[in-house]
Amino acid sequence: MDTSLTAELAQRLLTDTPTEQERAAARRGIKDYLASMLPVLFAVVPDEGRSAVLATFDAASSAENRAVVLGYFSHALDYDDYHAAFRGHPSTVILSSLFALCQHFDRYTPTDFLDAYIIGVEIAGRLGRAMGTRHYSMGLHSTATLGPLAAAAACCRWLRLEQTQTQIALGMAATQSSGLRAQFGSAVKPLHAGLAARSAVNSVLLAKAGFPGQVDTVVESFLTVFGFNVEQPGLLLDEWATPWRIIQPGLEFKRYPTCGGTHSAAEAAFVLRQSCLEQGIGDICQAVTRIEVSFPPGADTAPNIRMPRDGVEARFSLEYVIADGLLNGCLALDHYTAKPVNEVIAALAARVTRCPDHSAPADELDPDRRFHRVTLHLSDGRQLSHCVTRRETVSLYTDVEQKLAMSLVLLPVSLAAQFSATTSLDNSEQLRQLTSLLCI
């Protein structure tokens, strides 16, 4: 008898076991998750949606509400990890779902927790490959649309559901898929992550409780409906876990609190700033008359806000990020929170013009070949130009330990110490304590 894609996926995710190599990568992912979440969770940086989320979703009342709150907080700064094949942020949805269920079921086995997380990342990367690039380019937010299935898979593994229950849970997660990129630059984007985590949790809880649903064909239908004729369902299972997706291509950890689609442009701006300083150009605002940024067609679909009004919108503005990089040589978190934009940065950003390079392949065809070329036109007639590719950006190491330390230093000393004592997840008590700290 032929096995459906949904059934084979469920069987794989419930039985295959990662190794210590994958678990070490998962521990690093958890540290990055915490680094991205803690400043908003404990209100040490401004966030416009925090109060409304807490007022609407009482985290103490249900696992579903805890998942929404954790998902929102961990994605609120847009500082959390990214997975290239998934074309979104897997950990915010997966870990938020798992932590919510930890407390609900009073389960705290670190190895099982890490393995469930790894399974979730595996499914996330595979869903992205099988779906193809058009899903994102058509305006759908992969974190919100693919995230529920990846997180549901992780939760099914964590709770050791039966295979039939797992197939039903995956189908229910798929049917709740939604999320538009049109919400980028608003608090709804991180809410997408929270709602995706909620969808995963309620799908798994319903399936575990015996709720009926279609056992087969839903995952197949999901790929067909949302693939826009470029889906490749065979890639969902092809070469499973060889290597695990948390290892290759692995999670990408952000060095800057802005949309990943701005990072190569920022790094080009850093180089150009240094060139200006070396040539005795101290006042960049006075010396630069205009700035051009070129990229493959469609590579600005995520960072599409040209005139941001506040730091949240500025995360998705190529213009603002380039200007900030030129003026300051870094992208400070303080510039990308819910505060009005810096007027000096905004004035320089107004001189940036987007110039798609139509000689390059469209971003939809090969996102890995993305680049940003920033060109400064100086008042004396000279031009300075520098190009950074996505591959160059990804190849640079991100110190997750330092990133976490920078978030912890913002917290009260005693609270930071409590978190520091849990992050290695060496035993059940550490996982229990970490879960308790997150459930405010």
Side-chain angles (χ1 to χ4, degrees):
M1 183 176 69
D2 290 339
T3 302
S4 72
L5 184 65
T6 303
E8 189 171 352
L9 178 64
Q11 190 272 330
R12 293 278 185 90
L13 72 89
L14 291 171
T15 57
D16 285 13
T17 302
T19 70
E20 286 304 317
Q21 180 186 14
E22 290 79 43
R23 291 173 190 140
R27 285 185 168 90
R28 192 164 177 240
I30 291 170
K31 290 178 181 178
D32 186 81
Y33 172 83
L34 295 173
S36 304
M37 169 196 283
L38 295 181
V40 179
L41 181 65
F42 292 101
V44 294
V45 298
D47 180 82
E48 292 179 328
R50 184 181 188 278
S51 296
V53 166
L54 289 175
T56 304
F57 301 101
D58 177 10
S61 67
S62 71
E64 293 164 281
N65 282 351
R66 280 193 290 277
V68 177
V69 170
L70 293 176
Y72 178 82
F73 286 158
S74 57
H75 195 43
L77 294 176
D78 220 284
Y79 208 6
D80 49 314
D81 65 38
Y82 178 85
H83 195 279
F86 183 59
R87 207 163 187 183
H89 306 262
S91 294
T92 180
V93 185
I94 297 166
L95 288 174
S96 297
S97 303
L98 290 173
F99 277 121
L101 288 174
C102 270
Q103 189 177 63
H104 185 77
F105 287 101
D106 198 32
R107 291 195 58 200
Y108 302 100
T109 308
T111 298
D112 290 348
F113 183 91
L114 293 169
D115 288 356
Y117 174 29
I118 293 161
I119 288 290
V121 174
E122 183 74 10
I123 300 298
R126 291 183 163 278
L127 279 171
R129 293 175 69 227
M131 186 67 74
T133 59
R134 195 162 294 167
H135 178 82
Y136 187 87
S137 65
M138 291 294 289
L140 293 166
H141 181 199
S142 300
T143 304
T145 55
L146 308 184
L149 277 82
C155 293
C156 288
R157 173 64 176 249
W158 171 235
L159 298 180
R160 300 184 182 279
L161 265 61
E162 298 174 357
Q163 181 167 330
T164 298
Q165 293 175 321
T166 298
Q167 291 174 232
I168 290 172
L170 293 174
M172 284 194 284
T175 206
Q176 295 181 77
S177 175
S178 65
L180 300 175
R181 283 196 297 104
Q183 290 287 0
F184 284 15
S186 79
V188 178
K189 183 177 190 284
L191 183 62
H192 281 171
L195 296 177
R198 180 179 67 176
S199 294
V201 167
N202 67 39
S203 296
V204 173
L205 291 178
L206 282 166
K208 188 175 188 300
F211 190 86
Q214 291 292 356
V215 176
D216 290 311
T217 74
V218 180
V219 173
E220 293 91 324
S221 175
F222 177 72
L223 293 172
T224 300
V225 170
F226 286 109
F228 298 101
N229 300 315
V230 298
E231 70 277 1
Q232 299 183 66
L235 295 181
L236 190 61
L237 298 171
D238 185 46
E239 298 181 347
W240 177 272
T242 52
W244 288 89
R245 291 302 183 271
I246 202 167
I247 299 296
Q248 182 63 39
L251 298 171
E252 297 178 14
F253 301 113
K254 287 187 171 186
R255 292 182 295 280
Y256 321 115
T258 64
C259 171
T262 68
H263 288 193
S264 296
E267 287 164 0
F270 299 159
V271 172
L272 290 171
R273 170 184 166 81
Q274 186 60 33
S275 295
C276 287
L277 295 176
E278 290 172 356
Q279 296 182 42
I281 302 172
D283 190 338
I284 291 178
C285 286
Q286 183 175 352
V288 173
T289 59
R290 62 188 179 93
I291 304 165
E292 293 179 355
V293 55
S294 59
F295 42 79
D300 61 342
T301 53
N304 62 352
I305 296 177
R306 297 175 187 248
M307 298 178 64
R309 295 166 294 183
D310 58 25
V312 176
E313 290 186 348
R315 297 170 193 163
F316 299 91
S317 172
L318 271 178
E319 292 81 0
Y320 194 86
V321 166
I322 290 168
D324 193 9
L326 286 170
L327 291 174
N328 298 300
C330 65
L331 302 181
L333 176 59
D334 186 57
H335 291 171
Y336 298 95
T337 61
K339 299 191 300 187
V341 293
N342 179 286
E343 292 183 2
V344 176
I345 298 174
L348 184 60
R351 303 180 204 173
V352 178
T353 303
R354 303 189 188 203
C355 305
D357 183 350
H358 294 285
S359 67
D363 192 64
E364 175 186 320
L365 299 177
D366 191 356
D368 284 339
R369 294 182 66 182
R370 184 184 305 153
F371 62 84
H372 286 101
R373 180 180 294 105
V374 179
T375 302
L376 307 183
H377 295 262
L378 306 181
S379 56
D380 62 9
R382 288 183 296 156
Q383 294 182 14
L384 298 177
S385 185
H386 191 75
C387 180
V388 176
T389 66
R390 170 178 152 72
R391 289 172 180 166
E392 290 173 321
T393 295
V394 172
S395 69
L396 296 176
Y397 178 74
T398 300
D399 188 338
V400 171
E401 298 278 355
Q402 179 62 23
K403 183 175 174 180
L404 177 58
M406 291 174 64
S407 289
L408 289 175
V409 78
L410 298 174
L411 306 184
V413 173
S414 61
L415 184 58
Q418 291 179 67
F419 273 106
S420 295
T422 67
T423 55
S424 61
L425 293 187
D426 292 328
N427 53 58
S428 296
E429 184 53 37
Q430 287 186 352
L431 180 55
R432 182 190 301 274
Q433 179 66 13
L434 178 56
T435 302
S436 176
L437 289 169
L438 291 177
C439 293
I440 62 171

